[in-house]
Amino acid sequence: MTHHLDALETRVPEVREAALMAALPAQIAHAQQHSAAFADILQGVDAQAVNSRAALAQLPVTRKYELLERQQAQRAQDPFGGFASIGWKGMVRSAGVRRVYQSPGPIYEPEGHAPDYWRAARAMAAAGFEAGDLVHNCFSYHLTPGAWIMESGAQALGCAVIPGGVGNTEQQLAAIADLRPVAYSGTPSFLKILVEKAAEANQKLSITKALVSGEAFPPSLRDWLAERGIAGYQCYATADVGLIAYETQAREGLVIDEGVIVEIVRPGTGDPVAEGEVGEVVVTVLNPDYPLIRFGTGDLSAVLPGACPTGRTNTRIKGWMGRADQTTKVRGMFVHPGQVADIVKRFPEVNKARLVVSGEMANDQMAFKAETHALTDEGLKARIADAVRDVTKLRSDVSLMAPGSLPNDGKVIEDARSYQ
């Protein structure tokens, strides 16, 4: 049976796109007016003109390190760094926060009062969770928002929740034996531990369905759980923007959530890539409390063609495919993807490029590989070499390659050095 949360999931794609683009100008204006950080970042932007993906792509991408820098600089006045439109007594924004969380950095995130604040109910419905189910929630309730993301989604569906948290495996198994929850939410690795420990104790688990996140969920583990009677599905969410995409019973990629606008951009830039090309996931969330505009997640993924066989019509992505931040150190100098992008922009003849760092410790070598139709243009090679030296302050070999030669894996900088 296919579980749809609501009719939004099966909208005609053009209707969905029109609704998202119609909501975008108001969200841009709200961010400019109620978020000091975006008042600065989007200074001079005409919010009403940002009503298309092309217009959105002209806005700067805000990445997590920038969010952290602003928070650190304003810690005494505004722990959210001016990004949130809500706060508590003594802050610039004096009301509206329900909870405050801490992620590594530390970065602080607000939770507002909206029900299902992170929109996790949609992912749970797709995983087969239903009203009346008892959910054993094994994300951490300590400082980080993972447990609360799942709990709010479960409660929005009408589920009851056991706040299991992490660790204390024997106590958790005792609670499962006594209360018999049918659903699990948490990391896939902890679910595997529970299953294995239950088997050792000759305990038959009541859990038959699971929504997992926070780690890779390989098909091998999915199949291992299925052999033991548990249908596990994954979702992709972050503490900053909430649910981004979720798996369905079709098992074909992840369907993008209805409350976000997702772009896939070339790492180190804000430039959208062609459909199917691997790039960084950039999210604009329609959340008035924490109005992140073009937030770079740092994760790599790619758009899948076609629609989900379950009837959901939103765009699908392949899921997590690695990290976009490929900054590396070469001969004592940091080189980052944005520099590769700057070099490419100087040459209209170049479609795509990759910087490959090879050699052994203390003997770094760089090769700049550029896709172009001008394969025999020695002058182009020389100019690219000059540009690499100008931008990175390092010398590099240059190779001209036919379009389509470079792998479609999102890598802009490849570290191929030997560290043995």
Side-chain angles (χ1 to χ4, degrees), residues 186-209:
T187 62
S189 61
F190 191 64
L191 177 56
K192 186 172 187 289
I193 289 171
L194 288 176
V195 173
E196 290 173 335
K197 292 294 185 182
E200 291 174 8
N202 293 317
Q203 176 182 340
K204 180 175 175 55
L205 290 184
S206 54
I207 295 169
T208 60
K209 46 194 169 184

Side-chain angles (χ1 to χ4, degrees), residues 4-312:
H4 292 163
L5 180 68
D6 54 36
L8 296 178
E9 296 179 4
T10 56
R11 286 181 288 180
V12 174
E14 291 77 11
V15 172
R16 174 185 295 106
E17 186 70 4
L20 290 173
M21 294 305 108
L24 188 54
Q27 183 70 347
I28 299 292
H30 176 82
Q32 290 173 316
Q33 295 164 14
H34 299 283
S35 159
F38 279 109
D40 180 26
I41 294 168
L42 302 178
Q43 186 174 8
V45 171
D46 178 2
Q48 297 308 309
V50 187
N51 56 8
S52 68
R53 287 184 181 266
L56 180 62
Q58 299 305 307
L59 303 183
V61 173
T62 297
R63 293 187 165 83
K64 191 169 289 247
Y65 75 88
E66 297 172 273
L67 193 155
L68 176 59
E69 287 175 353
R70 284 181 182 264
Q71 286 200 1
Q72 289 175 331
Q74 301 178 43
R75 199 71 92 199
Q77 298 79 30
D78 184 352
F80 298 133
F83 284 96
S85 64
I86 55 178
W88 61 85
K89 188 175 180 180
M91 283 180 58
V92 177
R93 305 294 178 189
S94 61
V97 164
R98 184 180 186 183
R99 295 188 182 95
V100 181
Y101 303 98
Q102 183 193 77
S103 294
I107 292 176
Y108 295 99
E109 299 101 2
E111 178 190 357
H113 286 268
D116 193 16
Y117 178 81
W118 289 277
R119 309 172 313 283
R122 192 172 302 284
M124 290 184 153
F129 289 39
E130 298 176 302
D133 283 350
L134 179 59
V135 180
H136 194 72
N137 187 15
C138 289
F139 277 106
S140 173
Y141 279 84
H142 178 68
L143 285 177
T144 57
W148 303 96
I149 291 174
M150 293 297 182
E151 180 166 307
S152 64
Q155 291 180 341
L157 273 183
C159 300
V161 176
I162 303 171
V166 295
N168 302 307
T169 308
E170 289 75 15
Q171 279 184 283
Q172 303 239 26
L173 287 174
I176 291 171
D178 290 340
L179 301 174
R180 297 181 297 281
V182 297
Y184 167 93
S185 58
T187 62
S189 61
F190 191 64
L191 177 56
K192 186 172 187 289
I193 289 171
L194 288 176
V195 173
E196 290 173 335
K197 292 294 185 182
E200 291 174 8
N202 293 317
Q203 176 182 340
K204 180 175 175 55
L205 290 184
S206 54
I207 295 169
T208 60
K209 46 194 169 184
L211 180 65
V212 300
S213 192
E215 299 171 346
F217 186 44
S220 58
L221 180 52
R222 179 195 69 198
D223 295 342
W224 186 88
L225 290 171
E227 290 168 1
R228 289 153 181 80
I230 301 174
Y233 295 86
Q234 61 183 312
C235 70
Y236 171 31
T238 75
D240 317 278
V241 298
L243 182 67
I244 298 173
Y246 58 96
E247 191 174 21
T248 73
Q249 293 177 5
R251 305 285 191 187
E252 296 181 7
L254 306 180
V255 178
I256 291 175
D257 177 53
E258 299 294 326
V260 295
I261 299 170
V262 171
E263 304 167 90
I264 307 293
V265 309
R266 196 168 308 287
T269 78
D271 304 331
V273 300
E275 182 173 310
E277 187 174 341
V278 177
E280 181 183 5
V281 178
V282 169
V283 180
T284 297
V285 62
L286 301 177
N287 176 359
D289 296 335
Y290 201 33
L292 295 178
I293 308 297
R294 298 203 88 200
F295 180 74
T297 63
D299 296 322
L300 293 175
S301 194
V303 169
L304 279 175
C308 181
T310 63
R312 295 172 175 86

